Amino acid sequence: MLCCICKEKEATVHLTQIAGDKMQKVDLCEECAKTKGVNDPTGFSLADLLLGLGAAQEIEAAGGGAGLKCPACGFTQADFKKAGRLGCSACYETFAEPLGGLLKTMHKGTRHVGKVPESLRQSRDLSDRLKQLQTKLTKAIEAEDFEEAAVLRDEIKQTTDRAIVAPSGNAG
């Protein structure tokens, strides 16, 4: 079996990654394994290695080949295949088409949307909860279900009181 990176030497290092129901295998020769840091746990990332191989294959499949070159840093498909990373921010535009398919398979989309800070998430959840309770209260009043309306009114008051107390409790 040949090495997945150099495609010349016999593979002696065999790596398998199982994520969910998908299994990916990488076969490396000793030299490529050392270059990628497979023998050094602190410098090795199987995800980076698989990304580099997968992206290089995507670029080749899209017809980019060695002719595709970043105008800003001069990074080529061969450089990307070797390093497993792009050279600069302009590389994302240069290799956009082939990388688009790769990113879609790895992530939920191709646009980074970031994460929501915990305090903002809690604030949004609380706001949504209050809106739901207010809607239920309005419907209960319209239906003249005043017992239910009283329960909902009390729940809105408790939720609002908790919201006022919570920010001062999270001062640290």
Side-chain angles (χ1 to χ4, degrees):
M1 183 176 300
L2 291 179
C3 174
C4 291
I5 295 177
C6 68
K7 299 189 187 328
E8 296 171 3
K9 298 176 187 160
E10 187 68 24
T12 56
V13 178
H14 308 282
L15 303 170
T16 303
Q17 180 182 30
I18 300 172
D21 60 348
K22 292 185 179 182
M23 181 171 69
Q24 293 179 308
K25 292 185 179 183
V26 179
D27 302 303
L28 307 171
C29 66
E30 244 178 270
E31 189 176 314
C32 289
K34 285 180 187 174
T35 304
K36 292 292 183 182
V38 173
N39 296 335
D40 176 15
T42 59
F44 170 66
S45 168
L46 184 57
D48 286 345
L49 178 62
L50 291 171
L51 171 62
L53 291 173
Q57 290 166 355
E58 286 282 333
I59 290 171
E60 285 174 357
L68 198 56
K69 186 175 184 179
C70 177
C73 69
F75 218 67
T76 65
Q77 184 270 332
D79 295 329
F80 179 69
K81 187 174 182 179
K82 189 175 185 181
R85 292 185 172 90
L86 296 172
C88 70
S89 59
C91 287
Y92 286 93
E93 293 175 26
T94 304
F95 300 105
E97 188 177 327
L99 287 176
L102 178 69
L103 290 173
K104 283 180 185 175
T105 61
M106 293 175 60
H107 301 287
K108 292 179 182 176
T110 57
R111 185 169 178 255
H112 179 70
V113 293
K115 295 181 180 178
V116 177
E118 183 66 22
S119 60
L120 180 59
R121 187 189 60 75
Q122 288 175 351
S123 175
R124 284 183 183 172
D125 290 349
L126 184 64
S127 177
D128 290 345
R129 177 72 180 139
L130 285 170
K131 284 178 187 175
Q132 289 174 348
L133 289 171
Q134 190 62 46
T135 302
K136 286 181 179 179
L137 176 63
T138 302
K139 287 180 181 177
I141 291 171
E142 288 172 358
E144 297 184 6
D145 185 355
F146 300 114
E147 290 177 10
E148 178 68 16
V151 170
L152 289 166
R153 178 203 60 209
D154 294 344
E155 193 172 343
I156 288 171
K157 175 136 177 52
Q158 287 176 347
T159 304
T160 305
D161 289 346
R162 279 194 304 253
I164 294 170
V165 172
S168 64
N170 291 338

